[in-house]
Amino acid sequence: MSINHKNTKPKPASSKPMDANGFDQWSANYNADVQASDADKRYPFAAYNKILDRLVELVQPALGKAILDVGIGTGKLSRRLADLGCQITGLDFSDSMLAEARKLLPTAILIQWDFSRGLPPGIEEHRYDTILCNYAIHHLCDHEQQELIAQILMHLKSEGCLLIADVMTETAQEMDYAKKADADLWDEEENYLLAEKVRQWFPESLFEFERFSYCSGILSVKKAGRK
Ligand SMILES: C[S@@+](CC[C@H](N)C(=O)[O-])C[C@H]1O[C@@H](n2cnc3c(N)ncnc32)[C@H](O)[C@@H]1O
């Protein structure tokens, strides 16, 4: 993979974030595009593979651990966790992404759902050890992001953890730097998180931000009242 790889991500006709049809179109080439972007060390997927490795480490996979993968996509990350004994539930609004995920995760619970509406009613009673949201939350506006994270925190077990990985920086200044560095590639329709902003939304929760590249990182969020 190199800078010669042609990114196949569809361009939405409007200035709205990409819808399920856009992701349906992208699903067959999505993994290849991600790998090419990571190989070039550029926005948006710079350090993607390192991030996946770190997420697997942070989950501490074990037999029967309950994982919810929000925006599961082709299921690459969850497959690694399933192979280590975890029980996977995945959400995604794209039929074709879910079809790809099904190939890797034949026994997982996969739910077609638009997470801009929060979490689906079918999992109301469930509590998870880890909830993952890998390169997916940027499709929501600020208030939808805040609502989704609030709901996710309610669906964690008391010792559970939310892991958000994405184009994300600690501060607005760092995000501006990344945007200037990759102005030719930057997707204005996407709404990337700033770790400092999420901290302000949930002052009671416990946060850790790990930077993986000039434009990407992992934010770990744990509920208040635990160490
Ligand atoms: C960039 S991909 C990331 C996929 C996967 N988590 C990964 O790390 O490769 C974003 C995924 O989120 C899904 N998605 C985006 N917006 C969504 C929404 N509002 N509701 C449900 N799924 C959504 C897309 O269909 C896609 O599979």
Side-chain angles (χ1 to χ4, degrees):
M1 300 294 173
S2 76
I3 41 179
N4 295 323
H5 176 94
K6 194 174 175 317
N7 190 304
T8 59
K9 181 179 176 184
K11 285 251 171 295
S14 67
S15 61
K16 291 191 181 139
M18 198 150 80
D19 62 10
N21 289 331
F23 282 102
D24 285 345
Q25 286 173 45
W26 199 17
S27 59
N29 294 318
Y30 172 77
N31 288 336
D33 287 349
V34 170
Q35 291 308 316
S37 172
D38 188 1
D40 290 344
K41 300 185 171 53
R42 287 194 74 188
Y43 164 93
F45 293 107
Y48 180 86
N49 289 306
K50 278 192 189 146
I51 285 176
L52 250 51
D53 290 346
R54 180 64 178 143
L55 287 171
V56 172
E57 220 172 72
L58 288 168
V59 168
Q60 297 181 317
L63 196 63
K65 265 201 165 177
I67 310 294
L68 176 65
D69 190 341
V70 177
I72 189 169
T74 56
K76 224 177 139 187
L77 169 61
S78 273
R79 168 60 187 262
R80 287 176 62 176
L81 301 173
D83 285 346
L84 295 165
C86 297
Q87 290 176 344
I88 308 296
T89 302
L91 308 179
D92 209 291
F93 66 2
S94 156
D95 258 342
S96 308
M97 286 289 191
L98 286 172
E100 292 296 322
R102 177 58 73 206
K103 292 180 198 163
L104 294 185
L105 295 157
T107 61
I109 299 169
L110 297 178
I111 305 171
Q112 188 171 30
W113 177 257
D114 180 347
F115 58 61
S116 67
R117 303 166 63 197
L119 296 178
I123 62 160
E124 248 152 33
E125 305 301 320
H126 294 258
R127 297 294 175 269
Y128 297 90
D129 294 290
T130 307
I131 302 185
L132 299 162
C133 193
N134 198 33
Y135 287 83
I137 201 165
H138 58 246
H139 298 292
L140 304 183
C141 65
D142 271 21
H143 79 86
E144 290 168 340
Q145 289 175 343
Q146 195 173 353
E147 294 259 313
L148 180 64
I149 295 172
Q151 263 200 35
I152 284 176
L153 292 176
M154 290 191 293
H155 281 76
L156 285 175
K157 293 181 182 173
S158 57
E159 298 297 305
C161 184
L162 162 64
L163 297 171
I164 305 172
D166 209 335
V167 172
M168 179 171 28
T169 56
E170 177 72 48
T171 67
Q173 201 181 7
E174 287 166 309
M175 188 62 78
D176 283 347
Y177 170 85
K179 188 172 171 179
K180 280 191 190 117
D182 277 322
D184 55 329
L185 298 173
W186 204 260
D187 187 338
E188 293 290 346
E189 276 70 60
E190 299 189 343
N191 181 30
Y192 303 120
L193 287 180
L194 301 172
E196 63 181 5
K197 186 161 73 177
V198 188
R199 281 197 180 90
Q200 282 171 13
W201 288 344
F202 301 96
E204 308 277 292
S205 298
L206 304 171
F207 290 90
E208 216 164 294
F209 180 69
E210 264 184 87
R211 183 181 189 272
F212 278 79
S213 75
Y214 67 100
C215 67
S216 56
I218 299 177
L219 186 65
S220 315
V221 191
K222 290 170 185 165
K223 290 199 273 199
R226 51 161 297 179
K227 300 221 156 62

